[in-house]
């Protein structure tokens, strides 16, 4: 069975600083991996996804994530935080062979200090 | 450009009452699903469907029923509401059954059971 763990339920960074949100997964088969973002009072939107092509994946709004099989990680980064990045971020995993089940992590709330 | 539409946005129920959360999508997506979001627990899959007439259970199906009579609609029924079902519910759809596709989410339905 697959699972995903997000380290840190709340991360706070200063505007302009590096953003690093951590995600580790477990899966018995090679996974698909996703990052979604949720702005207040909205549904989730896809930021980026890994589907076995390049291990460094670029997404929207300057975010990127690197798939590291040896560390079973898929951490999300952005070089310079902007106030508009304040939101909740969810990592999600799904195995190649699954019939459509995507499992989400518990989420990390990102706050940006002026 | 409606996307995924959920109704109602807010609902208060008494224990034992029944209700249906409606979900409709206008993108001709084959896959539809329902999640519940609770603090510190991320999103948990309730039920999903890979096409009209086909439904299956997710992680937390107890207390919920679904049906898929058309491609567009995927209602979620609570037959006898319990306080443990107080949550925010999200409907999400995807073009195909393949796990690589982006999930499109509605804006959510906030349910309180007294």
């Amino acid at each position: 069975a697959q699972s995903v763990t997000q380290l840190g339920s709340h991360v706070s960074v200063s505007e302009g600083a590096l953003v690093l949100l951590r995600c580790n997964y477990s899966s018995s088969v090679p996974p698909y991996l996703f990052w979604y973002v949720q702005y207040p009072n909205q549904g989730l939107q896809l930021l980026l996804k890994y589907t076995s092509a390049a291990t460094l994946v670029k997404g929207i709004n300057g975010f990127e994530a690197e798939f590291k099989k040896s560390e079973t990680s898929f951490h999300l980064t952005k070089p310079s935080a902007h106030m508009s990045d304040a939101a909740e971020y969810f990592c999600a995993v799904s195995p190649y062979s699954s019939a459509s089940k995507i499992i989400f992590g518990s989420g990390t709330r990102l706050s940006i200090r002026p | 450009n409606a996307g995924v539409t959920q109704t109602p946005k807010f609902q208060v129920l008494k224990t034992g009452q029944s209700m249906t959360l409606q979900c409709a999508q206008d993108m001709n997506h084959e896959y539809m699903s329902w999640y519940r979001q609770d603090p510190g627990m991320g999103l948990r899959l309730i039920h999903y469907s890979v096409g009209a007439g086909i439904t299956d259970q997710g992680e937390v199906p107890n207390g919920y029923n679904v049906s898929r009579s058309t491609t567009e609609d995927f209602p979620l029924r609570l037959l006898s509401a319990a306080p443990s079902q107080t949550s925010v519910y999200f409907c999400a759809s995807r073009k195909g059954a393949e796990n690589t596709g982006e999930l499109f989410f509605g804006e959510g339905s906030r349910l309180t059971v007294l």
Side-chain angles (χ1 to χ4, degrees), chain B residues 19-47:
Chain B
M19 77 156 300
T20 299
L21 298 177
Q22 301 290 346
C23 176
Q25 52 89 10
D26 61 359
M27 299 173 282
N28 200 30
H29 284 176
E30 298 170 4
Y31 175 87
M32 297 184 73
S33 56
W34 278 102
Y35 287 86
R36 60 177 290 173
Q37 183 179 27
D38 302 292
M41 303 188 74
L43 277 77
R44 292 181 291 170
L45 182 64
I46 304 172
H47 286 286

Side-chain angles (χ1 to χ4, degrees), chain A residues 38-44 88 90, chain B residues 6 8-11 21 34-39 41-46 60 64 76 78 83-91 105-113:
Chain A
Q38 184 181 30
Y39 298 104
N41 299 315
Q42 294 186 24
L44 282 70
E88 188 148 20
F90 293 91
Chain B
Q6 291 183 233
K9 286 187 168 34
F10 301 94
Q11 183 72 49
L21 298 177
W34 278 102
Y35 287 86
R36 60 177 290 173
Q37 183 179 27
D38 302 292
M41 303 188 74
L43 277 77
R44 292 181 291 170
L45 182 64
I46 304 172
V60 289
Y64 307 95
L76 179 71
L78 286 71
S84 61
Q85 294 177 304
T86 293
S87 187
V88 181
Y89 292 84
F90 287 98
C91 180
F105 284 81
E107 293 189 343
S109 297
R110 186 176 295 274
L111 175 66
T112 301
V113 183

Side-chain angles (χ1 to χ4, degrees), chain A residues 6-22 35-40 47 61 63 76-90 106-113:
Chain A
Q6 292 184 240
L7 298 175
S9 60
H10 182 210
V11 170
S12 179
V13 302
S14 297
E15 190 173 19
L18 172 71
V19 174
L20 171 61
L21 304 182
R22 299 178 187 274
W35 277 99
Y36 281 82
V37 60
Q38 184 181 30
Y39 298 104
L47 264 182
N61 300 337
F63 284 93
L76 182 71
T77 60
K78 181 174 180 177
S80 177
H82 191 273
M83 297 300 291
S84 61
D85 295 327
E88 188 148 20
Y89 293 80
F90 293 91
S106 56
T108 298
R109 183 161 55 91
L110 176 64
S111 300
I112 312 296
R113 302 187 300 270

